[in-house]
Amino acid sequence: MSVDLGVRIGSLKLKNPLMSASGCFGYGVEYAETVDLSSLGAVVVKGLFLNEREGHPPPRIVETPAGMLNAIGLQGIGVHRFVAEKMPELRRLGATVVVNVCGSSVAEYVEVSRILSDVEGVAALELNISCPNIKEGGIQFGCNLTSTHEVVSAVRKVTHLPLIPKLTPNVTSVSSFARASEEAGADAVSLVNTFLALVIDVETRRPRLSNGMGGLSGPAIRPIAVRMVYECAKAVRIPVIGMGGIASAEDVIEFIIAGAAAVQVGTANFVDPFIWPRLLDGVTAYLERHRVASVADLVGTVELG
């Protein structure tokens, strides 16, 4: 049986529903010798501010029993270096590129988005309004409905590209933020970003991360992320991109059944950078086994009692 793995995110057509998660795949080119970037639905690159950013000092990552905490602090090369140094190689490799856009102000989000909108090969913008481990910008927009609507609306005015706000789980009702994003002109939403968390060294009685708090990712958060994806998919008409602890084809399918049109894989890249073909083969085998003609036919098919 032949199955259709293609999915649509607004006007963006992906060859399959597998996307790398921003912050866990570098700028994509770092994985080029390990992964055929053109085989992925999309490469979501590391977040970009207008200028270069150093991020937090080490230690910036600590493992937990079912995942990890990070407080990288959105270290990055800035949008101008990305356009000059990374995009030519991503174009050569045939990657479908989604850029994660960061900002400490609405004006910065707008300017970075404006610059990227004129760059050949940039397929969509993911607005990072949900990073839990920086003190300025980011999550201050993602935890306030008015601010979410403001920044999405402002960026919508300067770009023709599909616009995908990345939502935080660190709110009372994430579906409310999905609706605010939709009303402001978003083409889709992606969720969830990491959960704010703390790990303490009991010998020193100090946090294990230099920043104190960090973002929890990995299998520990998956059932909560699946629930939030389900809630958002019920609340909006635009596509939902799900993420949070995906480490197997079964995990991918679970998110899709919950309502995700596509998924992003993050922490699992650190554990197994060769995971991508197995995920794709597993999804294909599932569709064939259950005689489902396309991934789109599976989206949101969960039956709650």
Side-chain angles (χ1 to χ4, degrees):
M1 176 183 176
S2 177
V3 297
D4 180 8
L5 296 175
V7 300
R8 278 200 173 277
I9 307 296
S11 61
L12 178 63
K13 180 67 162 48
L14 306 182
K15 64 181 64 176
N16 63 65
L18 302 182
M19 309 168 71
S20 65
S22 176
C24 301
F25 207 69
Y27 298 104
V29 295
E30 297 90 334
Y31 276 79
E33 294 184 4
T34 305
V35 183
D36 176 4
L37 300 186
S38 68
S39 71
L40 302 185
V43 173
V44 187
V45 305
K46 187 174 173 61
L48 296 173
F49 285 83
L50 188 58
N51 300 309
E52 296 183 36
R53 182 183 175 92
E54 291 187 4
H56 297 313
R60 305 195 294 188
I61 294 178
V62 60
E63 290 190 59
T64 66
M68 72 175 197
L69 265 68
N70 89 84
I72 305 300
L74 293 173
Q75 175 188 356
I77 60 175
V79 66
H80 297 292
R81 283 188 58 194
F82 171 78
V83 171
E85 299 174 14
K86 306 299 183 183
M87 272 307 301
E89 183 67 2
L90 289 169
R91 285 193 293 265
R92 187 187 70 80
L93 293 167
T96 298
V97 180
V98 177
V99 179
N100 185 275
V101 175
C102 302
S104 57
S105 66
V106 172
E108 185 171 16
Y109 278 106
V110 167
E111 181 62 9
V112 174
S113 299
R114 186 193 62 75
I115 292 168
L116 290 167
S117 296
D118 294 328
V119 176
E120 179 187 356
V122 175
L125 303 179
E126 181 180 67
L127 285 186
N128 188 349
I129 56 172
S130 54
C131 182
N133 57 56
I134 62 170
K135 294 180 174 63
E136 77 288 352
I139 201 167
Q140 75 181 37
F141 296 102
C143 284
N144 180 286
L145 287 170
T146 301
S147 296
T148 293
H149 193 281
E150 180 186 7
V151 70
V152 175
S153 297
V155 173
R156 177 76 286 165
K157 293 174 183 176
V158 299
T159 185
H160 63 280
L161 295 174
L163 189 57
I164 309 166
K166 186 172 183 177
L167 306 182
T168 177
N170 300 299
V171 292
T172 303
S173 172
V174 67
S175 60
S176 297
F177 288 84
R179 284 193 296 269
S181 297
E182 181 179 40
E183 291 167 3
D187 296 284
V189 290
S190 61
L191 63 140
V192 296
N193 208 326
T194 54
F195 287 78
L196 188 62
L198 174 65
V199 173
I200 297 171
D201 184 329
V202 298
E203 297 302 322
T204 65
R205 305 183 193 176
R206 297 185 61 82
R208 290 187 179 273
L209 294 172
S210 68
N211 189 58
M213 303 287 186
L216 176 64
S217 63
I221 74 169
R222 189 175 63 248
I224 313 173
V226 169
R227 185 262 296 176
M228 291 182 168
V229 164
Y230 169 80
E231 291 174 343
C232 287
K234 291 294 184 184
V236 298
R237 295 180 299 277
I238 56 177
V240 172
I241 301 170
M243 71 193 88
I246 294 173
S248 70
E250 183 179 75
D251 299 339
V252 174
I253 294 296
E254 184 178 13
F255 271 92
I256 292 172
I257 291 173
V263 300
Q264 294 184 13
V265 181
T267 303
N269 283 300
F270 300 127
V271 179
D272 180 9
F274 301 98
I275 194 173
W276 297 97
R278 290 199 297 278
L279 293 178
L280 196 58
D281 289 347
V283 171
T284 302
Y286 178 93
L287 294 174
E288 291 174 343
R289 187 168 71 252
H290 289 268
R291 305 195 64 77
V292 178
S294 70
V295 169
D297 291 339
L298 197 62
V299 175
T301 54
V302 64
E303 297 181 9
L304 296 187

